[in-house]
Amino acid sequence: MEWMTALLSRNPELGVYLALALGYWVGARRIFGFTLGGVTGSLLAGMVLGILFEVPVSSTAKSVVFLLFLFGIGYEVGPRFVSAMKGDGWRFAALGVFMPVVGLLAAWAVASALGLNPGLAAGMLSGALTESPAMGTAAEAIRALPLDEATRQMYEAHIGVADALCYVTGALGVILTCTVIGPALLRVDLAKEALELEAQYGIVRVRSGVASAWQPFETRAYRVGTSAAIVGRSVAQAEGLAEGMRLFIHRIRRQGELVEPTSDTLIEADDLLAISGRREVLVAYVGERADEIDDQPLLDVATAVHEVFVSRSDWIDRPLEEIAADDDARAVFLGRIMRRGQQIPIGTRTTLERGDVVQLTGPEPAVQRAAARLGEILHPTDATDFVTVGFAIFAGALFGVLAAVPVGDIKVTIGTSVGTLLAGIVTGHLRARRPLFGRVPDSAVKFMQSFGLAGFVAMVGLGAGPHFVPAVKESGIGLLLGGAVVTMAPLLAGLWFGRKVLKIHPILLLGAISGAQTFTAALAALQEKSGSSIAVIGYSGSVAIAHVFLTTWGTVIVLLMV
């Protein structure tokens, strides 16, 4: 023990990485179907190490990793933050504002009733509302208070203590509300409601890991008979001959030679055509009028698969069935839609939103044509634009230092953390307008978020360790009960507000509630209970707004409790 204490005292960075390793290992353990997650696990592991060894932690190191995390969050939510109020998305965005506000008011009332200091109040808020980033903004606000150093360190340590005590009840509260309490109060059967909602969106359910041998869209080769109606017509005329049936001629073999046709190319008798379209059209319509042949070179049409960033307004907020009828979408297959890292179910009534990333498959010219209507093709890259990242974090933090809000007789700055979060949102929003600006690969963004937050809370835990036992003795039971109240107040209020006022569908409402509490585990539990992934539509609509509000509440609750 003495050797370990001396080692970690001389090399505190080892304590941070040890806390991360232990935290993620503990956080992945499933107990009664519930996991703490790596972030909470890192906080608890850091606290245990802090109790045992009292590891010194640099405030500069905490700030560096936390600002990295906040920029990553802002960068991810930026494309959706501004557009969230458009279309039906405003309902989810409204819930993403309403629930955090109720949570803040509840935390303020409970903290005032229990007589908690600013550190304990902030930790109770972050834990009960399952928003660990609020610990960082609260710590920065505490460091700006006119306090003696000993009191300031104690308040900062109390943030981690209270968060650890309240997080478990907070997490359980969200999961139970989304899977048990909410459905009971709404009087709905999750599985039945999910099936009905999927039908409204035109979603066909498939079993995981099982793919149908039947393909809805195919390319086949046919010989043009001498008496065929398309003989002497142009390719464009031939494709439109069958009204209401979308057929596409990609290649022609004429007298043994392969020809790349244009829309004006005339079709001759005995031509061999490579035609794509819906399978039933090819079989029932073309197959009755032409002989199908096997010609591998003719069918060897170059196919492209591209990820496209949706940034243009042409097809935004239009259902997929309307987009499919557009000429610029001809011969293009939509593989998947990713929205804020979550895959969105595809149906005829599914709509695209700015900031989505869609996978398009089809002939290269066709994919290029469709991509031009959507936004920009994202060619794979593993390079991060550190020029933009560095300047954005610097500018945001500087703005946070200089921007002051008058509170009574003093001026309080919004802080480097909130400033960096805003800089991330602005950068992400600009990226939605100009996809090649400030590119950061998705994997790098996830690393910023995961390492930044987990590293920060691990250091918070190390610093909170020596203060843990005294704080628990002083306010333990009160914190637990108070945290439960803070957790349930916005959840129950959100159920009422979302259903009675906003008129949100029950499944989407429960998904939006998990987003408004920024707790992905609750979304996963809801999807498992309903047997459907469709609740992610509500989650993605509220989580971007809620992330911003809940993160800033760390600063606000400290100011309210001073």
Side-chain angles (χ1 to χ4, degrees), residues 174-199:
V174 184
I175 291 175
L176 289 175
T177 298
C178 290
T179 59
V180 179
I181 299 173
L185 292 177
L186 296 173
R187 298 180 181 178
V188 296
D189 182 303
L190 289 179
K192 180 180 178 181
E193 291 289 336
L195 280 173
E196 293 177 356
L197 188 59
E198 286 179 357

Side-chain angles (χ1 to χ4, degrees), residues 147-405:
L147 302 171
D148 61 85
E149 187 60 26
T151 302
R152 185 179 296 112
Q153 290 183 2
M154 182 184 69
Y155 284 176
E156 284 191 58
H158 282 178
I159 297 174
V161 173
D163 181 272
L165 285 174
C166 297
Y167 185 86
V168 174
T169 56
L172 287 174
V174 184
I175 291 175
L176 289 175
T177 298
C178 290
T179 59
V180 179
I181 299 173
L185 292 177
L186 296 173
R187 298 180 181 178
V188 296
D189 182 303
L190 289 179
K192 180 180 178 181
E193 291 289 336
L195 280 173
E196 293 177 356
L197 188 59
E198 286 179 357
Q200 293 178 25
Y201 277 80
I203 295 169
V204 179
R205 185 177 295 188
V206 296
R207 288 182 293 165
S208 177
V210 177
S212 174
W214 178 87
Q215 297 298 319
F217 194 85
E218 292 186 355
T219 300
R220 296 189 175 194
Y222 296 91
R223 184 186 302 276
V224 179
T226 55
S227 60
I230 62 175
V231 173
R233 297 178 183 268
S234 68
V235 167
Q237 290 173 334
E239 289 180 344
L241 194 61
E243 186 176 353
M245 302 179 186
R246 304 179 73 234
L247 296 171
F248 314 112
I249 299 173
H250 298 297
R251 184 176 286 174
I252 299 175
R253 184 185 290 280
R254 178 171 295 165
Q255 298 178 355
E257 298 294 328
L258 289 177
V259 178
E260 299 294 338
T262 65
S263 59
D264 297 327
T265 300
L266 297 180
I267 298 174
E268 300 178 1
D270 291 325
D271 280 349
L272 306 183
L273 308 181
I275 306 176
S276 66
R278 293 197 64 84
R279 184 179 186 278
E280 62 269 24
V281 176
L282 293 174
V283 172
Y285 182 78
V286 180
E288 290 184 354
R289 291 161 177 78
D291 295 327
E292 185 172 4
I293 62 171
D294 182 21
D295 189 330
Q296 182 178 347
L298 176 65
L299 292 170
D300 190 16
V301 178
T303 302
V305 180
H306 287 309
E307 300 283 344
V308 180
F309 188 94
V310 179
S311 59
R312 296 179 183 167
S313 59
D314 294 16
W315 289 342
I316 288 177
D317 294 330
R318 291 175 58 186
L320 293 181
E321 62 182 354
E322 288 185 14
I323 297 174
D326 195 300
D327 287 340
D328 285 338
R330 79 181 280 273
V332 176
F333 175 72
L334 177 62
R336 65 169 179 263
I337 303 173
M338 298 300 295
R339 184 172 297 162
R340 293 199 68 256
Q342 300 286 338
Q343 185 164 341
I344 301 298
I346 295 177
T348 56
R349 302 303 299 173
T350 301
T351 58
L352 297 180
E353 298 182 5
R354 189 181 302 277
D356 287 350
V357 175
V358 300
Q359 183 190 69
L360 302 183
T361 303
E364 178 70 23
V367 172
Q368 292 280 358
R369 185 173 57 247
R373 296 287 300 278
L374 287 168
E376 297 286 341
I377 293 176
L378 298 179
H379 297 288
T381 180
D382 56 1
T384 297
D385 184 355
F386 278 109
V387 174
T388 300
V389 172
F391 274 120
I393 293 177
F394 172 79
L398 182 63
F399 172 76
V401 171
L402 298 178
V405 179

